[in-house]
Amino acid sequence: MPSNVISIRGARTHNLRNVSTEIPHGLLTMVTGPSGSGKSSLAFDTLYAEGQRRFVESMSTYVRQFLERMERPDVEAIDGILPAIAVEQKNSVRNARSTVATATEIADYVRLFMTWAGETHCPSCGIVVRKETPESIVDRIVQRLDGSRIVVTTPVFLGEEGGEIVRQLLRGGFYRIWVDGAVADLKEVDLAGVSAVDVVLGRFRTTPDARTAILDAVEQAFSISKGFVNVLEEAGGEWASHRFSGRLACDGCGKEFAEPTPHLFSFNSPLGACEACQGYGRIIGIDLDRVIPDRTRRLDEQPIAPFNSPGYEDSYEDLERAAKKYGVRMTVPIAELTAKEWEVVYQGRGKWYGIKGFFDWLESKKYKIHVRVKLAKYRSYTSCDACGGTRLKPEARLVRFREKTVSDLFAMNVAQARRFWEYLPLSQQEEARVGHLRTEVLNRLVYLDEVGLSYLTLDRQTRTLSGGEAQRINLAAALGNGLTDTLYVIDEPTVGLHARDSERLLNVLRRLRNAGNTVVVVEHDPTMIGGADWLLEMGPGAGEGGGEVLYSGPAESRLAAHAAAAPPPAPANASKRPVDRRIVVRGARQNNLRNIDVEIPLGRLVAITGVSGSGKTSLVRDCLYNAYQRRHRGVASVDVGMVRDIEGLENVADIQLVDQSPIGRSSRSNPTTYVKAWDEIRKILASTQSAKTYGVTAGMFSFNTDGGRCEACKGSGTLVIDMQFLADVEIVCDRCEGKRFQDSVLKVSYKGKNVDRILELTVEEAIRFFVDRRAVVRKLDPLRAVGLGYLRLGQSTATLSGGEAQRLKLASFLSGVRRENNRLFLFDEPTTGLHASDVEQLLGTFRALIELGNSIVVIEHNLQMIAAADWIIDLGPEGGEGGGELVAAGTPAEIAVSPASITGRFLAGSAHAVPLSG
């Protein structure tokens, strides 16, 4: 009999302490606990890994020879496991061709829909182009020309063998042709120099009785000319021509068009991709914002960046001579030049080559390396002029349904697309042909909307999504696939999600469960935990202090016990310093921002809040940080958001952006190398007597250079196997067995531990192990301060979540030699992956930075962090087109009572939420 639970016995992966537990089938199970307590080790490295391992056992011998080398989870037994799918909190897509629509299969169904329901429009005549049949042609003739006299003709092209074609027509009994508005005898007409003739197939009066005769004539026309028919109608003594075609050709001008196919609407296919940009929608060209970073400067202030390098300064003299000759003002800001003046500056005139001519000349010298480097500094991607950024050939853009092209459908955001497809009226015939395609598209749009992604456009590149957005895209795709009897293991799906949308996401997970699946979610969000069927709490601490199951059972029982024992929330420890400095962003208009002015007080913890897609990142990164980089750092390569002015930048010594972008792709990078602690540890190992005995130097403990590392895996400890059509497989190096170094290096030990065992230590353990080595402790302590004490020293940074990568960047700054204060730190959701107790620890680090004179701005959804802020700037009220406004600004207490703020509504109720303490 099949078991109704997944039974795990003796799990010891990473820090798990011989864990034995059960997870019921068909329920929504939440795995919670402090960061580093073993949640991912149990859910992903044990449960999902074993499900995947059993799945590949059914594959071919060729595939299994690689997959069987995968490290098995350290567990005694797992019974009742199902085929497993992992929905992880990271965006691994790097392909510029992948979009939200392609990732969710919406694009496939829309292409089929347009193939069967779209109508091609002639660009010259503006009329719908149809592929006619004899029956449809006769129907239109009888309906439109009721009672009229008509002549049915068909064109015959004579070509070089005109005489033979005429003889064939005569032998076939076709003696009459249409010439100059009248019927003529084919034998009597001089056809010298004539390339084509219209053969008359019959003269009729369009009455119902003549329908059969007209149909015979039209069918004859199809047979003779491969589908071309011309119907001449007598009207007031004149003859009007009505052209029809059995091919996809225009009735007005006769131009033929390609028949729509799904490939025609695909920018991944040569049949549909724009030839200019190859289906990418963008081409690389000269970026004038990089060429002239500041258009408020005058020409006599030498504002043209490429002219300011040695060897090209003479270009200013050429410009000055041209300006005098052609009346270009050198003493006004560039932004105030007239169109004619700017044309002279850019296009050139006479002997003055202009900015464009300068770059054309550089293009001719691209064979020189330094010229290619210089060109790269002033290039950027711009929208393709040929396709207007739609990625498709002109033929694809001629096909429309309800006046919308396929590009128009993909340019909609999820909310707009859902309304369009939900209320799309279809005729009975259309419903029979494409109704099922519409249903498939709508189902996926509903899922995307319900997981909080209503603001994303369908043509948004997948690689530009955050880890949380990519995860919810994958979740929506999984729901659209309609799988059943499957184990879904999901990693914090609420990352990047406003508290308002947590309940909707919970309903989506319940729908996945109701389809007959077993859903296991690693989560910290109180709303999600409160809606679980089953709760698995790990703890009690992190790293070696965790790895135990504290509770496994119905969620409501555990939540009730925590609510009864929870202390009242502590008041926020706000900074007492007066606000005498601030930065003011004026006229922010980037993306969906609606020309807003925002004041950011300095010396405070400021939270930028709002629902997903409300404009938070556009304000902080694009408008504030990128503008600072361009104007104060001279970084020409950043794209600055549209903003009128920024005041108060002189009030900070520097602005540091600490976002969730990956630290690097190298599997050899780890937390100790990132915070520079590994240099100190190498020196310690090299100073031991055993190192001197075996001739091992500090350089031989490097992962990145030859000498001591394992050359099979290049110091990474793992090998990646290319599985062609399957995902790449990472296996432990069989030469060094994952220890990364050669045997001579592994023989060196300090306090009884060699380099491999040292790399297995967590940060907390390493601080205790090197307690007498202050240089090492000083480098490692910031990792503990930002809540990363559970990380192992040798863990690859490529495996870190977005939140962990962000906190590692913060730790790197704290451990560095830079101690200047008066910095402004910008964080993008630093609480990602943190338990409530870890958030408190991170807040302590933030407060310490602020007390040193720094300022901190966080883009945040976590109510615990928001409630602890000194000042809140709330954007919204909705996402996408419904956002971009400054809803409210003030203290948490003021925002909580603001009637306009959605964040305030949830902030007011957050005091009643009881996070599990572990």
Side-chain angles (χ1 to χ4, degrees):
M1 292 291 291
S3 172
N4 60 353
V5 298
I6 300 173
S7 176
I8 303 172
R9 297 194 302 277
R12 295 177 295 274
T13 306
H14 298 152
N15 66 331
L16 296 180
R17 298 186 178 184
N18 205 33
V19 165
S20 296
T21 188
E22 292 182 345
I23 297 175
H25 282 310
L27 295 184
L28 174 58
T29 298
M30 294 287 168
V31 184
T32 188
S35 303
S37 59
K39 303 184 299 297
S40 295
S41 296
L42 179 65
F44 287 92
D45 300 327
T46 301
L47 192 60
Y48 168 69
E50 180 65 11
Q52 278 294 93
R53 188 188 68 79
R54 296 189 186 184
F55 165 70
V56 301
E57 285 180 349
S58 63
M59 293 188 173
S60 68
T61 305
Y62 171 78
V63 173
R64 290 204 310 272
Q65 70 174 326
F66 300 110
L67 298 179
E68 286 173 355
R69 294 166 61 188
M70 294 172 61
E71 188 175 8
R72 297 188 177 210
D74 189 0
V75 60
E76 289 180 9
I78 300 182
D79 298 324
I81 197 166
L82 299 169
I85 292 177
V87 185
E88 296 184 273
Q89 184 216 116
K90 59 182 175 182
N91 187 359
S92 58
V93 177
R94 295 290 176 267
N95 188 352
R97 295 185 182 276
S98 175
T99 65
V100 171
T102 59
T104 54
E105 298 179 348
I106 289 174
D108 297 330
Y109 290 106
V110 170
R111 290 165 186 156
L112 284 169
F113 186 95
M114 293 297 288
T115 299
W116 292 105
E119 295 179 324
T120 302
H121 290 68
C122 177
S124 302
C125 306
I127 61 178
V128 176
V129 180
R130 292 186 175 90
K131 183 178 179 180
E132 302 283 4
T133 64
E135 290 78 8
S136 65
I137 292 173
V138 173
D139 289 341
R140 291 174 63 187
I141 291 172
V142 172
Q143 290 173 7
R144 289 168 52 185
L145 310 178
D146 185 28
S148 301
R149 289 180 59 204
I150 64 171
V151 177
V152 177
T153 70
T154 188
V156 175
F157 298 92
L158 303 179
E160 296 179 357
E161 301 179 356
E164 177 60 28
I165 293 175
V166 169
R167 285 190 289 274
Q168 290 179 7
L169 288 173
L170 292 173
R171 283 197 296 268
F174 301 103
Y175 299 104
R176 296 172 296 174
I177 60 174
W178 186 263
V179 179
D180 297 330
V183 176
D185 193 317
L186 178 60
K187 293 184 289 185
E188 298 178 356
V189 176
D190 183 10
L191 298 177
V194 177
S195 60
V197 294
D198 283 326
V199 176
V200 176
L201 301 175
R203 289 177 284 188
F204 310 95
R205 187 170 293 278
T206 53
T207 62
D209 295 338
R211 191 182 191 286
T212 302
I214 297 173
L215 179 60
D216 290 340
V218 173
E219 288 177 341
Q220 269 192 322
F222 266 55
S223 175
I224 294 171
S225 62
K226 301 296 187 292
F228 290 102
V229 180
N230 188 21
V231 177
L232 302 163
E233 174 199 7
E234 184 184 32
E238 298 291 333
W239 293 90
S241 176
H242 303 279
R243 297 179 181 272
F244 302 95
S245 174
R247 305 179 188 181
L248 195 64
C250 176
D251 292 346
C253 62
K255 182 179 179 180
E256 284 193 56
F257 298 88
E259 290 192 32
T261 65
H263 290 297
L264 180 65
F265 305 110
S266 172
F267 44 77
N268 291 320
S269 168
L271 297 177
C274 169
E275 294 178 355
C277 64
Q278 304 300 312
Y280 287 100
R282 302 188 303 167
I283 56 175
I284 192 165
I286 301 303
D287 186 347
L288 285 176
D289 288 334
R290 298 185 182 186
V291 175
I292 307 177
D294 186 0
R295 299 201 178 199
T296 63
R297 297 176 63 189
R298 308 188 305 266
L299 287 174
D300 61 1
E301 294 177 326
Q302 300 189 345
I304 304 173
F307 292 176
N308 293 332
S309 57
Y312 302 114
E313 294 175 344
D314 293 346
S315 297
Y316 281 116
E317 297 177 6
D318 299 337
L319 172 60
E320 187 175 354
R321 285 193 291 269
K324 289 179 181 179
K325 184 175 182 179
Y326 300 112
V328 177
R329 294 170 293 170
M330 298 281 289
T331 57
V332 301
I334 291 177
E336 296 179 12
L337 293 177
T338 66
K340 289 184 177 180
E341 289 174 317
W342 172 248
E343 183 181 1
V344 172
V345 174
Y346 181 69
Q347 296 286 352
R349 184 174 297 178
K351 294 183 179 180
W352 163 240
Y353 36 83
I355 294 174
K356 182 179 183 299
F358 173 79
F359 279 104
D360 289 342
W361 174 77
L362 282 182
E363 288 282 347
S364 69
K365 305 292 183 181
K366 280 198 304 185
Y367 57 87
K368 300 179 180 179
I369 295 177
H370 74 277
V371 172
R372 293 200 297 271
V373 172
K374 186 175 184 67
L375 280 169
K377 288 175 58 179
Y378 302 105
R379 278 176 164 170
S380 68
Y381 284 98
T382 58
S383 180
C384 174
D385 293 333
C387 65
T390 63
R391 304 181 171 203
L392 298 172
K393 287 181 177 178
E395 293 88 336
R397 305 198 299 274
L398 295 177
V399 182
R400 299 201 290 266
F401 179 79
R402 301 288 194 270
E403 297 305 314
K404 293 191 181 295
T405 66
V406 69
S407 301
D408 294 334
L409 296 177
F410 290 149
M412 297 179 181
N413 63 36
V414 169
Q416 293 168 335
R418 178 178 178 177
R419 288 194 297 271
F420 173 83
W421 291 98
E422 203 163 18
Y423 300 105
L424 179 65
L426 294 179
S427 66
Q428 187 173 359
Q429 185 179 7
E430 289 172 333
E431 184 66 42
R433 296 181 69 193
V434 295
H436 64 292
L437 298 174
R438 171 199 183 184
T439 301
E440 292 289 350
V441 172
L442 187 57
N443 283 344
R444 285 160 174 78
L445 289 170
V446 169
Y447 294 141
L448 286 172
D449 195 12
E450 291 183 350
V451 298
L453 298 176
S454 59
Y455 57 93
L456 291 181
T457 57
L458 296 179
D459 58 5
R460 171 84 172 264
Q461 288 187 359
T462 314
R463 65 177 182 172
T464 66
L465 302 178
S466 68
E469 289 171 332
Q471 184 187 39
R472 294 197 295 280
I473 287 281
N474 293 334
L475 184 60
L479 283 163
N481 290 334
L483 295 178
T484 60
D485 292 324
T486 302
L487 170 63
Y488 283 91
V489 184
I490 305 172
D491 185 16
E492 288 195 80
T494 57
V495 169
L497 200 63
H498 192 272
R500 182 196 67 173
D501 298 315
S502 293
E503 188 68 36
R504 296 171 66 191
L505 177 59
L506 182 61
N507 290 331
V508 170
L509 295 177
R510 286 169 174 162
R511 190 179 305 178
L512 195 60
R513 172 204 64 189
N514 294 341
N517 300 298
T518 300
V519 184
V520 177
V521 183
V522 176
E523 191 54 86
H524 294 292
D525 183 80
T527 301
M528 301 293 287
I529 295 171
D533 304 318
W534 195 265
L535 188 63
L536 196 61
E537 186 178 356
M538 304 296 295
E544 296 303 313
E548 299 179 14
V549 175
L550 303 182
Y551 175 79
S552 178
E556 61 269 16
S557 302
R558 186 65 166 173
L559 292 170
H562 272 281
N573 182 23
S575 175
K576 304 302 181 185
R577 293 186 179 187
V579 177
D580 54 0
R581 299 174 298 130
R582 66 187 70 243
I583 289 176
V584 183
V585 180
R586 297 197 183 278
R589 305 180 304 281
Q590 181 68 9
N591 295 333
N592 65 335
L593 294 177
R594 300 189 178 184
N595 199 29
I596 60 174
D597 298 339
V598 177
E599 292 189 8
I600 301 174
L602 299 175
R604 292 290 184 272
L605 173 56
V606 178
I608 311 293
T609 63
V611 300
S612 302
S614 57
K616 304 182 294 297
T617 303
S618 297
L619 173 66
V620 174
R621 185 189 62 197
D622 299 342
C623 292
L624 175 56
Y625 179 70
N626 286 359
Y628 171 79
Q629 288 286 89
R630 173 75 65 85
R631 299 177 186 179
H632 290 259
R633 287 283 190 86
V635 181
S637 60
V638 296
D639 296 324
V640 178
M642 291 185 289
V643 58
R644 187 170 69 252
D645 192 22
I646 300 179
E647 302 171 3
L649 288 176
E650 68 279 0
N651 291 326
V652 294
D654 189 22
I655 298 180
Q656 191 85 19
L657 176 66
V658 189
D659 61 8
Q660 294 193 19
S661 60
I663 290 174
R665 298 184 186 179
S666 173
S667 59
R668 295 189 294 273
S669 172
N670 58 52
T672 54
T673 59
Y674 198 78
V675 299
K676 309 300 182 185
W678 190 243
D679 294 337
E680 301 296 334
I681 295 174
R682 287 194 301 166
K683 293 176 185 177
I684 293 171
L685 288 167
S687 67
T688 62
Q689 184 59 47
S690 57
K692 295 174 182 177
T693 300
Y694 295 110
V696 177
T697 64
M700 296 175 71
F701 291 100
S702 171
F703 306 104
N704 299 313
T705 57
D706 298 338
R709 69 179 183 179
C710 170
E711 288 307 314
C713 62
K714 302 299 183 183
S716 66
T718 58
L719 298 173
V720 176
I721 305 297
D722 183 1
M723 298 303 296
Q724 297 180 10
F725 296 108
L726 296 174
D728 292 346
V729 172
E730 187 175 21
I731 63 173
V732 175
C733 174
D734 51 6
R735 181 179 298 182
C736 67
E737 297 179 342
K739 295 179 180 179
R740 309 186 186 201
F741 293 96
Q742 298 175 13
D743 290 341
S744 59
V745 177
L746 293 170
K747 290 177 182 178
V748 177
S749 64
Y750 173 75
K751 291 185 180 180
K753 293 185 183 294
N754 66 4
V755 62
D756 177 54
R757 294 183 63 189
I758 288 174
L759 289 170
E760 286 297 312
L761 296 174
T762 66
V763 171
E764 293 277 5
E765 293 169 342
I767 290 173
R768 293 194 296 270
F769 182 75
F770 291 106
V771 66
D772 56 339
R773 299 286 186 162
R774 294 186 58 186
V776 177
V777 174
R778 188 171 62 249
K779 296 284 188 180
L780 293 178
D781 197 56
L783 290 170
R784 178 171 59 181
V786 297
L788 295 178
Y790 59 89
L791 291 182
R792 298 191 181 276
L793 300 188
Q795 181 174 345
S796 171
T797 54
T799 66
L800 300 182
S801 68
E804 288 172 332
Q806 187 179 38
R807 295 195 297 279
L808 181 55
K809 294 174 188 177
L810 175 60
S812 175
F813 173 80
L814 294 175
S815 68
V817 295
R818 297 170 295 174
R819 283 290 178 263
E820 310 99 307
N821 298 320
N822 193 25
R823 290 173 176 267
L824 172 59
F825 289 92
L826 308 176
F827 288 90
D828 185 7
E829 292 195 76
T831 59
T832 297
L834 288 188
H835 188 267
S837 58
D838 302 309
V839 175
E840 286 298 328
Q841 187 175 5
L842 182 62
L843 279 168
T845 304
F846 283 171
R847 292 294 174 199
L849 279 172
I850 292 172
E851 290 305 313
L852 289 173
N854 298 294
S855 308
I856 294 178
V857 172
V858 295
I859 298 172
E860 195 54 81
H861 291 294
N862 184 286
L863 294 175
Q864 184 181 356
M865 175 67 76
I866 295 172
D870 303 318
W871 193 258
I872 297 174
I873 298 170
D874 193 42
L875 302 182
E878 296 294 334
E881 293 185 348
E885 297 180 4
L886 179 61
V887 174
T891 64
E894 292 169 339
I895 298 297
V897 297
S898 170
S901 173
I902 296 175
T903 302
R905 192 187 319 153
F906 286 89
L907 191 61
S910 65
H912 305 293
V914 184
L916 298 181
S917 62

